[in-house]
Amino acid sequence: MRLLLVRHAGADTGASMQGWTRWRRLVAGCSAVMALCGAQAADAPARLEVRRTTDGVPHVLAADWHDLGYGYGYVQAQDALCTLAEAFLTYEGRRSAYFGADAKLTAGSTLGHPANNELDFFFRAHAGAGMIAAMRAEQPAELNAMIDGFAQGYNRYLGEARAAGPGRDAPACLAQPWLRTISADDIYRRMYAAAIAGGYARFIGEIANARPPAGATAAAGAQGALAALLAPRVGDQVGLGSNAIALGGAATGGDGAVLFGNPHWYWGGPDRFYQAQLTIPGKINVAGVSFLGIPVIMLGFNGNVAWTHTVSDARRFGVFELALTPGRPASYRYDGQDVPMRQADISIDVLGADGKLRTERRTLYASRFGPLLDLGRRNQAFGWSAQTALAIRDINADNYHIFRNYFYWARARSLDDFIAIQRREAAMPWVNTLAIGRDDQRVWYGDIGNVPNVPDRLRSACTTALGQGFAQLDGAVPFLDGSRPECGWQHDARAAHPGAMAAADMPGLLRQDYVANMNDSYWLSNPAQPLQGYPRTMGGEQLALSPRGRYGHLLAQQLAGAQSRSSLALARRTMDAVLDPLSHAAVLYKNDLLAGACVGAEPALQAACAQLQQWDNRAGIDARGALLWAAFWRQIARLPDAQLYRTAFDPARPLQTPAAINGADPRVRAALAAALQSVRAGGRAPDAPLGSVQVLRADGTAVYGGCSAAGYFTVACSHAPDGALDAQTEGNSYLQVVRFGPQGVDAHTLLAHGEREQAVAGGSGGEPLQRYARKDWLAFPFSEQAIAADPQLARQVLLP
């Protein structure tokens, strides 16, 4: 195999090429190529070439589906070999053999932070050969070819890295014993891990540790901890989510639509976004992002459509209460019969403190509904006792259409085609979707995917006393009696998956002004047309929006109401507006809070009050007061809404209520005092500028924004004690503003954390973060002309 790397300098003879024929002319006419790879380069085009443009974004140009996957696997390995390698180890269930049983994942991900042995037992039990065969059988042949190629491209780069050996640019894990070649099986396991993020992945420890009690009662747990476990929809952080706004022809004067998408996501780890363009001339041309290890674009655009996602409020799993056979805690009653639980004996290798491997064995239990779930460590009432046990079913555990849905979307020809694919596959696992189309004035919102088919009447008829208690913690998760056949998820012949709702029964909305979602309920995708009458499992209706959600709708209305003369003008206004680091919670409530907390306050609080009063409610890098506000609002948010607001939430006024916060409540002053103490305890001055604290740990770059919980639309949220940003950060990740102009797709993007795994850890590849910090949107080079003209173009032939 030959390797060709050419650095672009000025105009390229390929500037006018539109397809494979013109690609031949480029190769034949480019003297730099001829000089490096000889006369054979003029005889035929390369089967596979990677073009890197500004910020290192790869554009993979291939001749067939296998090669397209090969190129994508290669470039992902180039930029994130160690992150990928450790992730593949996780999904294979072999972490304990290298890192010990009790250690935990160091990077944030949708798997949360269970112990290594919990992860190993779970994945060994649920991501084995049967799952892999079933998933492969459900993919189109083209996608299976991409998956095979992806693994081979990854291995190609791994071989090159090993051949090059240690060096300044060598992957940090190159000498690690867990670094290995992969196969397509690793990609299918990785796809499974992404699928279950809204279900099983949130309960890996509770599944892996579920076992019959040794005594008559479940072990005691920390009361209230279960509510905290149920609060996130994915991962283990409540604020993980996204902003999305689609503005239609009514906002552009009939000049098409504009889409803004902005996941607040991981800055490190295997679930961070990776940006690329994938092209086979005449077959596919799509750009956007995917999780590391995923071979298809999950969020982005092609020449006809653009789409984005936010985390859905629908529940993607359900709980079944099992009535156990007296004296047999591993058997349960169903339809009047005793049914033994399925038992899987799993063994894993564990690295001991002495450096030697030992074998750890465990039996995992499952019912007809799904694996056993022991929540007793979280709340004793929901543990596995001598009388009852719980089983969990994840609707996406056998949903093998997710990534083929993305594969089909990448080739969608229009917005109508895009919507038809979404309805046909009904596969979206835990996200809302917003989309626009070329030459189309409409904008689309849909929470159409894979959701348990549990009508409210079934929930009412099949609840239990324990289920009523569970509903006080989360009233949307279906908790059903597992002893009665009539209490299972209902079959609908129209549905794409067993036990799922039919797509026709799920919320969707087409409008010409706007649709938006900021992780709130589907109910208010546009306040002028609430979506109502759906089962509680979809998340609920007439629910208060978060401050971020309220601000997002107000911003969308402001943008839509400005009557921009063109989609270009609206896109530019949108790019400016969505990076304003304003806390809407501060706008709404700060003055009332300070009026109550500061009048007559002791001298120690007066300086803090003055600082917050002077603060402009924005988390700019020079802002003095943003640090104190974040600490203050964390304290305020712990108070019950019913006691905090004088004007309760009113579904008729969703963007104006709740309102009139009760600043005179003595707990508000106590909250300010606690916030002041916490800021000082962290070694920070209450009036310190945000940019002196919220900096990239690797190089000191200051970054604007704040945590979603503090009311910010523009998010940068550190979980580090010192407030610095690193691979553990969650915040604005991939941002895109897309429209369709006379020349086709016109997209501007930002990838805050960059492509390379070292970018936020002090290594190379930090240019995208610098770009994000200065709010310098990148005009994405989608066409061949734009790619050829990119000032940082570098080309690499992988398969001649």
Side-chain angles (χ1 to χ4, degrees), residues 676-697:
L676 183 61
Q677 181 179 2
S678 70
V679 171
R680 288 173 173 167
R684 302 185 288 273
D687 63 347
L690 179 67
S692 67
V693 174
Q694 192 165 281
V695 299
L696 186 65
R697 190 183 308 282

Side-chain angles (χ1 to χ4, degrees), residues 127-294:
M131 182 282 295
I132 292 169
M135 183 174 286
R136 186 175 183 92
E138 290 293 321
Q139 310 312 312
E142 300 95 331
L143 180 51
N144 280 328
M146 286 183 69
I147 291 167
D148 291 338
F150 190 101
Q152 293 169 23
Y154 173 98
N155 293 339
R156 158 82 176 270
Y157 176 74
L158 174 57
E160 291 177 359
R162 282 176 167 163
R168 186 184 66 177
D169 296 326
C173 61
L174 196 58
Q176 294 298 322
W178 43 266
L179 183 62
R180 61 170 176 82
T181 58
I182 65 170
S183 71
D185 289 358
D186 291 285
I187 308 304
Y188 294 115
R189 283 191 288 258
R190 197 277 171 267
M191 292 160 64
Y192 172 83
I196 61 169
Y200 287 164
R202 295 174 53 196
F203 303 97
I204 285 175
E206 288 71 23
I207 293 171
N209 293 312
R211 65 197 70 186
T217 60
Q223 304 304 308
L226 181 54
L229 175 67
L230 295 172
R233 296 291 166 260
V234 294
D236 55 4
Q237 296 295 333
V238 176
L240 199 66
S242 311
N243 296 328
I245 299 172
L247 299 154
T252 65
D255 188 36
V258 173
L259 178 70
F260 163 63
N262 173 206
H264 307 142
W265 210 243
Y266 304 101
W267 276 23
D271 290 329
R272 73 171 174 86
F273 286 118
Y274 186 86
Q275 185 176 12
Q277 181 175 2
L278 306 179
T279 304
I280 302 174
K283 294 183 178 180
I284 190 172
N285 192 14
V286 63
V289 291
S290 61
F291 294 164
L292 289 173
I294 296 295

Side-chain angles (χ1 to χ4, degrees), residues 68 87 119 316 379 383 393 421 435 473 565 695 761:
L68 189 65
L119 285 162
R316 309 294 171 144
N379 187 309
R393 179 179 176 185
I421 292 167
L473 303 172
R565 296 180 180 179
V695 299

Side-chain angles (χ1 to χ4, degrees), residues 78-80 169-172 272 698 755-766:
Q78 267 189 321
D79 289 333
D169 296 326
R272 73 171 174 86
E755 302 279 37
R756 299 181 64 82
E757 60 191 355
Q758 305 99 321
V760 294
S764 60

